Amino acid sequence: MATSTSSKLNKAVKQQYMDLPQGDKVQAMYIWIDGTGEGLRCKTRTLNCEPKSVEDLPEWNFDGSSTYQSEGSNSDMFLIPAAMFRDPFRRDPNKLVLCEVLKYNRKPSETNLRYSCKQIMRMVENHHPWFGMEQEYTILGTDGHPFGWPSNGFPGPQGPYYCGVGADKAYGRDVVESHYRACMYAGVQICGTNAEVMPAQWEFQVGPCEGINMGDHLWIARFILHRVCEDFGVVVSFDPKPISGNWNGAGCHTNFSTKEMREDGGLKVIEESIERLAKRHMYHIRAYDPKGGLDNARRLTGCHETSSIDEFSAGVANRGASIRIPRLVGQEKKGYFEDRRPSANCDPYIVTEALVRTCVLKEDVGEPTDYSK
């Protein structure tokens, strides 16, 4: 199995240095989404004291021409701290800092989807929108081959791997356990994990989170996963269909509810929301992967526990539908619904924003409404 050369460096030697006292200084790792809308970048600065809130963190900048975000002739981009977490790699008092990116004119960069999401969530804060996102991913070697798969062929067909136990069924559990504990240390609202249907494919769940916090916590959980995989010398892929053929793809199923849905009789509100989602199917498909639906077209085929990308469907306990109402929700007549369409590489900010626009703000046109006018 191809692993990175750096993973073979002596970690015990590194730990000698990591155990050195750092005085009153604090390392803050600034993290942002690059111009691809999928990649994460990071760099570290020293602070003179431990920040107690985001407001204590200074703005910073970076070279956007090296991250697909600007031209070299005008390359400075601004990093605006948006959310702060404990650093599970350097440990307390050090921090992970999720940032928004602004262009030279202080307007949000094209892939800063948090900016708009934040405005929309403020408009509906009285509805208390809750989200839970189920992030599927695949562990690969540095050669792009799924971790643990035979070098010249395929493992046995799907069936024994989902929630499986044993060296012949669970590939890469060390990564999963390390990521889980690191997220808990960081303060990420991680709530579970399991092996998925395809071998070397796993899932973790984040939530429930209210409003903008959903996107913040999922992006940091992704960053931590990339870093954990880096230490193990493997690669995490969020590609929605990493292996073609008779193998499950990778999604980011999104559970959604409002205060009204969670109260007695909330099923009626859920059903009304599903009717609005049906009328706006293609708007959501365009929002649910970074390439406007092209990535998801490889996954949403109507097979392998997915709905068809061209048709909207809904049902109770139906994992082949666009929208699934959990059986318990149908029985209790209140709760939440699951949108199974978002791809594994979706941006959680635009997914959660799209759900709020359609279900709470009741937009019914093909494009999102501009509320700034």
Side-chain angles (χ1 to χ4, degrees):
M1 177 56 58
T3 56
S4 70
T5 304
S6 60
S7 70
K8 299 177 178 64
L9 295 175
N10 190 319
K11 304 305 181 185
V13 173
K14 174 192 171 187
Q15 196 58 43
Q16 291 183 62
Y17 299 100
M18 298 304 291
D19 289 340
L20 292 173
Q22 58 189 73
D24 296 328
K25 304 291 186 180
V26 171
Q27 290 173 288
M29 180 174 280
Y30 281 48
I31 301 160
W32 69 97
I33 302 159
D34 70 16
T36 66
E38 300 179 62
L40 286 162
R41 307 292 179 117
C42 62
K43 64 176 184 172
T44 300
R45 68 182 299 165
T46 301
L47 305 178
N48 290 326
C49 60
E50 182 179 0
K52 301 303 181 185
S53 68
V54 170
E55 288 70 31
D56 295 335
L57 295 161
E59 291 185 14
W60 207 8
N61 57 66
F62 68 95
D63 170 19
S65 68
S66 298
T67 60
Y68 316 115
Q69 288 172 294
S70 69
E71 299 177 357
S73 59
N74 193 8
S75 65
D76 277 1
M77 310 283 285
F78 295 102
L79 291 172
I80 311 300
M84 184 172 68
F85 297 81
R86 297 169 71 194
D87 187 337
F89 306 103
R90 294 163 171 158
R91 302 195 179 186
D92 290 337
N94 304 300
K95 305 297 181 186
L96 301 180
V97 181
L98 182 65
C99 298
E100 285 193 36
V101 176
L102 302 184
K103 296 188 284 191
Y104 69 95
N105 56 8
R106 307 290 293 187
K107 292 184 178 181
S109 67
E110 284 70 19
T111 51
N112 178 2
L113 302 181
R114 188 183 191 277
Y115 187 86
S116 173
C117 181
K118 179 174 56 181
Q119 295 174 318
I120 294 299
M121 294 303 171
R122 284 174 180 161
M123 292 174 62
V124 300
E125 58 186 11
N126 291 338
H127 293 269
H128 300 285
W130 288 5
F131 304 93
M133 299 187 81
E134 305 171 18
Q135 177 68 71
E136 295 178 338
Y137 63 92
T138 310
I139 301 175
L140 308 175
T142 53
D143 57 358
H145 197 65
F147 183 79
W149 285 34
S151 57
N152 296 308
F154 297 92
Q158 296 181 159
Y161 309 107
Y162 173 70
C163 296
V165 177
D168 58 340
K169 300 178 186 70
Y171 303 174
R173 194 183 296 275
D174 286 351
V175 169
V176 176
E177 295 295 341
S178 301
H179 172 252
Y180 202 148
R181 189 61 59 89
C183 281
M184 295 177 81
Y185 181 93
V188 171
Q189 198 70 23
I190 188 169
C191 59
T193 188
N194 58 269
E196 265 304 330
V197 177
M198 189 181 85
Q201 191 181 83
W202 296 79
E203 175 186 295
F204 66 87
Q205 302 94 32
V206 174
C209 295
E210 186 166 333
I212 197 69
N213 291 329
M214 183 68 252
D216 293 348
H217 282 246
L218 188 63
W219 272 115
I220 286 294
R222 287 175 173 177
F223 174 82
I224 291 172
L225 183 56
H226 280 297
R227 273 289 287 108
V228 168
C229 285
E230 180 183 322
D231 283 345
F232 281 103
V234 294
V235 177
V236 58
S237 170
F238 296 112
D239 190 289
K241 188 70 175 180
I243 304 296
S244 60
N246 196 28
W247 302 98
N248 274 36
C252 193
H253 304 153
T254 302
N255 302 287
F256 173 60
S257 70
T258 61
K259 182 174 180 288
E260 295 81 3
M261 295 178 191
R262 297 187 292 271
E263 293 174 342
D264 289 344
L267 183 59
K268 184 175 185 294
V269 182
I270 291 172
E271 290 171 341
E272 290 171 352
S273 294
I274 291 173
E275 289 178 12
R276 284 191 285 272
L277 289 166
K279 296 174 183 176
R280 235 178 165 209
H281 177 60
M282 292 316 298
Y283 159 69
H284 283 266
I285 289 297
R286 290 194 299 273
Y288 284 0
D289 80 52
K291 297 182 178 64
L294 293 177
D295 274 348
N296 242 343
R298 295 183 284 120
R299 167 180 159 259
L300 296 179
T301 61
C303 301
H304 305 104
E305 299 183 69
T306 69
S307 58
S308 168
I309 195 170
D310 299 315
E311 298 177 9
F312 181 88
S313 58
V316 175
N318 183 358
R319 283 180 163 76
S322 308
I323 303 293
R324 179 182 71 93
I325 299 176
R327 189 168 300 283
L328 190 61
V329 172
Q331 292 171 353
E332 296 186 347
K333 310 295 186 196
K334 63 180 179 180
Y336 68 97
F337 66 82
E338 177 192 45
D339 193 333
R340 297 179 60 81
R341 295 171 293 176
S343 66
N345 62 343
C346 70
D347 189 314
Y349 294 126
I350 194 171
V351 171
T352 55
E353 177 185 327
L355 284 166
V356 164
R357 283 178 176 273
T358 301
C359 300
V360 185
L361 296 177
K362 302 181 180 179
E363 295 181 8
D364 57 5
V365 293
E367 296 300 322
T369 302
D370 184 355
Y371 295 100
S372 63
K373 294 179 181 178

